[in-house]
C-alpha cells in the first residue's frame, strides 16, 4: 500500500488542485502537520476530513504498510525522514508524491509582492520611503545592471536585475498607498503589469493580430507608427513632436543620440545646434550615429580601458611620468 504525499504551491489560489490530487485525497485518511494550511477550508467543504498531527515518519510508513495513507504537504527534511524510515523496513510501502499544484513561470514574483508589502508595513525605513527618496537607487541599480552586461558577468546580471526589479516593486507599493484615491495617482503592481502587457500586445500586431511583417526593420517601423498614434490619442488628435517622450534626464551622449535618431525619422538635418565644445561633442555623436555606433557605450568602453591603464600605472609607479 502507498504513502501518498500531496504537495501544493503557496503561490496558487487555495482550493485549486490537480485531478490526481483530489483522487489521492479520497484514497485514505488524510493528515497534515499544518493547522493553518490554506487548503483545509476547501477540503472540508468538499467533505475531505484532514487530521492535524505532529509528523512521525516512522509511524506513517508503518501505517502505510497496511493501507493507503495521505499526507498533505511535506518539506524536504520531512521527505528525507520518511525515506529513511521506509528503507529501514523489510517491506517498505510505496511512496508517491502527487503535485496538487505547482508554480507557473513568474510565480516567484508573487513572493516579491508579498515581501514588499510586509516591508512597507513593518519596516520603519521602508515605510517612510517616497518615489523621490527612492529615485537615486533606481538610477544606481540601472547602471549596475549595465555594468554587469558590459563585463559579461551573467551571475552578477541575475543579481542586479533582481535589485532593479525590487525598485519597480517598491515604487508600485508606494503608489499602492494612494490606490484608494485614483485622483491622487494611486496604482499597484498589477496596474503596472497590466499597462505594459497592453502596450506590448498593442505594439506587436504581427504577433497578437493578423498583421504580417517582413523582417525586423518593418517591425520597428510599425512600432514607431503605433507610438505616433498613441501620442495623438493622448493629446486629443494632435500627433505632437517626434521628440515628445524623450527623457531629458538621461546621460548627455545618449540624449543627443536619441534626438538624432528621432530627427532622422522626419528628415531634419543633423547639424550641431550650438558652437563651442557642446557643438563639437554633438558632432562626435552624429559621427557615431552615422557609423551605427552607440556613443555612450563607446565612451564607456574607452573609460574602462583608461581605468585599467590608471591601475597599471599605480602598480608600477617607477614607470609613471615624473612631475615637473
Amino acid at each position: 500500500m502507498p504513502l501518498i504525499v500531496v504537495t501544493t504551491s503557496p503561490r496558487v489560489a487555495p482550493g485549486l488542485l490537480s485531478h490526481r490530487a483530489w483522487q489521492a485525497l479520497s484514497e485514505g485518511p488524510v493528515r497534515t502537520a499544518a493547522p493553518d494550511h490554506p487548503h483545509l477550508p476547501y477540503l472540508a467543504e468538499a467533505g475531505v476530513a484532514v487530521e492535524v498531527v505532529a509528523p512521525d515518519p516512522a509511524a506513517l510508513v508503518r501505517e502505510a504498510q497496511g493501507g493507503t495513507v495521505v499526507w498533505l504537504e511535506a518539506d524536504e527534511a520531512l521527505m528525507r525522514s520518511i525515506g529513511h524510515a521506509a528503507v529501514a523496513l523489510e517491506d517498505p510501502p510505496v511512496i508517491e508524491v502527487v503535485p496538487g499544484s505547482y508554480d507557473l513561470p513568474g510565480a516567484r514574483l508573487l513572493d516579491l509582492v508579498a515581501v514588499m508589502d510586509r516591508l512597507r508595513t513593518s519596516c520603519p525605513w521602508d515605510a517612510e520611503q517616497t518615489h523621490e527618496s527612492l529615485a537615486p537607487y533606481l538610477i544606481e541599480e540601472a547602471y549596475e545592471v549595465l555594468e554587469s552586461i558590459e563585463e559579461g558577468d551573467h551571475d552578477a546580471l541575475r543579481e542586479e536585475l533582481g535589485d532593479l526589479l525590487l525598485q519597480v516593486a517598491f515604487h508600485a507599493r508606494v503608489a499602492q498607498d494612494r490606490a484608494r484615491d485614483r485622483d491622487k495617482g494611486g496604482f499597484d503592481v498589477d496596474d503596472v503589469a497590466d499597462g505594459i502587457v497592453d502596450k506590448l500586445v498593442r505594439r506587436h500586431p504581427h504577433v497578437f493580430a493578423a498583421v504580417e511583417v517582413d523582417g525586423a526593420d518593418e517591425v520597428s517601423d510599425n512600432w514607431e507608427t503605433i507610438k505616433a498614434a498613441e501620442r495623438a490619442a493622448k493629446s486629443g488628435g494632435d500627433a505632437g513632436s517626434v521628440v515628445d517622450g524623450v527623457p531629458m534626464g538621461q546621460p548627455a551622449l545618449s540624449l543627443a543620440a536619441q534626438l538624432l535618431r528621432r530627427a532622422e525619422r522626419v528628415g531634419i538635418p543633423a547639424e550641431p545646434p550650438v558652437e563651442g565644445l557642446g557643438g563639437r561633442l554633438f558632432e562626435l555623436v552624429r559621427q557615431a550615429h552615422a557609423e551605427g555606433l552607440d556613443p555612450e557605450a563607446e565612451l564607456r568602453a574607452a573609460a574602462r580601458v583608461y581605468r585599467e591603464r590608471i591601475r597599471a600605472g599605480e602598480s608600477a609607479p617607477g614607470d609613471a611620468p615624473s612631475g615637473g
Side-chain angles (χ1 to χ4, degrees):
M1 294 294 179
L3 168 60
I4 303 176
V5 179
V6 176
T7 62
T8 63
S9 168
R11 304 170 195 91
V12 176
L16 297 179
L17 294 171
S18 65
H19 178 65
R20 174 65 189 117
W22 281 112
Q23 283 183 324
L25 290 165
S26 65
E27 293 178 8
V30 182
R31 302 195 178 95
T32 186
D36 58 349
H37 195 289
H39 286 271
L40 293 185
Y42 299 92
L43 296 178
E45 185 178 355
V48 177
V50 181
E51 182 182 5
V52 179
V53 299
D56 185 339
L60 273 175
V61 296
R62 285 197 302 270
E63 183 180 1
Q65 285 181 304
T68 299
V69 180
V70 182
W71 184 266
L72 178 60
E73 219 60 69
D75 59 20
E76 185 177 346
L78 180 56
M79 287 301 299
R80 280 200 302 268
S81 297
I82 289 174
H84 291 321
V87 297
L89 299 176
E90 291 186 5
D91 184 22
V94 172
I95 300 174
E96 179 184 358
V97 178
V98 175
S101 58
Y102 51 89
D103 292 343
L104 295 174
R108 294 290 298 193
L109 295 176
L110 298 175
D111 291 349
L112 174 59
V113 173
V115 168
M116 195 64 253
D117 187 66
R118 177 78 178 273
L119 292 174
R120 183 67 174 173
T121 56
S122 302
C123 173
W125 186 89
D126 290 276
E128 68 181 16
Q129 298 310 304
T130 65
H131 295 304
E132 291 74 18
S133 69
L134 291 171
Y137 302 107
L138 178 63
I139 296 171
E140 178 183 338
E141 298 299 352
Y143 276 117
E144 289 184 0
V145 169
L146 178 59
E147 182 175 10
S148 66
I149 292 173
E150 290 177 342
E151 293 181 348
D153 189 338
H154 292 166
D155 289 336
L157 177 59
R158 177 194 60 79
E159 180 178 351
E160 299 301 344
L161 284 173
D163 291 342
L164 185 58
L165 179 59
L166 167 61
Q167 297 305 309
V168 176
F170 207 152
H171 279 278
R173 183 57 184 82
V174 170
Q176 185 178 326
D177 291 336
R178 306 188 303 271
R180 293 182 179 178
D181 190 347
R182 297 285 169 167
D183 293 337
K184 294 183 179 180
F187 58 85
D188 59 22
V189 70
D190 285 316
D191 294 319
V192 174
D194 181 64
I196 190 59
V197 167
D198 284 350
K199 181 182 292 186
L200 289 172
V201 171
R202 187 170 61 249
R203 292 185 182 179
H204 290 80
H206 56 287
V207 176
F208 300 101
V211 173
E212 295 185 3
V213 295
D214 183 17
D217 289 342
E218 192 170 345
V219 170
S220 181
D221 291 341
N222 286 347
W223 179 282
E224 296 303 330
T225 300
I226 295 169
K227 284 179 62 177
E230 291 171 355
R231 290 196 299 269
K234 288 181 179 178
S235 59
D238 182 4
S241 170
V242 70
V243 295
D244 288 347
V246 174
M248 299 299 291
Q250 63 182 301
L253 289 178
S254 297
L255 172 61
Q258 188 171 1
L259 291 172
L260 281 167
R261 291 193 299 270
R262 296 288 185 98
E264 186 178 57
R265 293 175 196 156
V266 292
I268 296 177
E271 299 174 352
V274 296
E275 297 182 353
L277 179 60
R280 295 197 298 274
L281 288 172
F282 189 90
E283 174 59 19
L284 288 174
V285 175
R286 186 201 65 76
Q287 292 177 22
H289 175 66
E291 296 175 23
L293 301 174
D294 178 350
E296 184 77 21
E298 293 297 312
L299 184 56
R300 286 176 61 85
R304 295 174 76 86
V305 172
Y306 186 57
R307 180 188 64 178
E308 297 308 312
R309 185 175 298 174
I310 293 172
R311 287 175 172 171
E314 290 174 334
S315 63
D319 296 334
S322 59

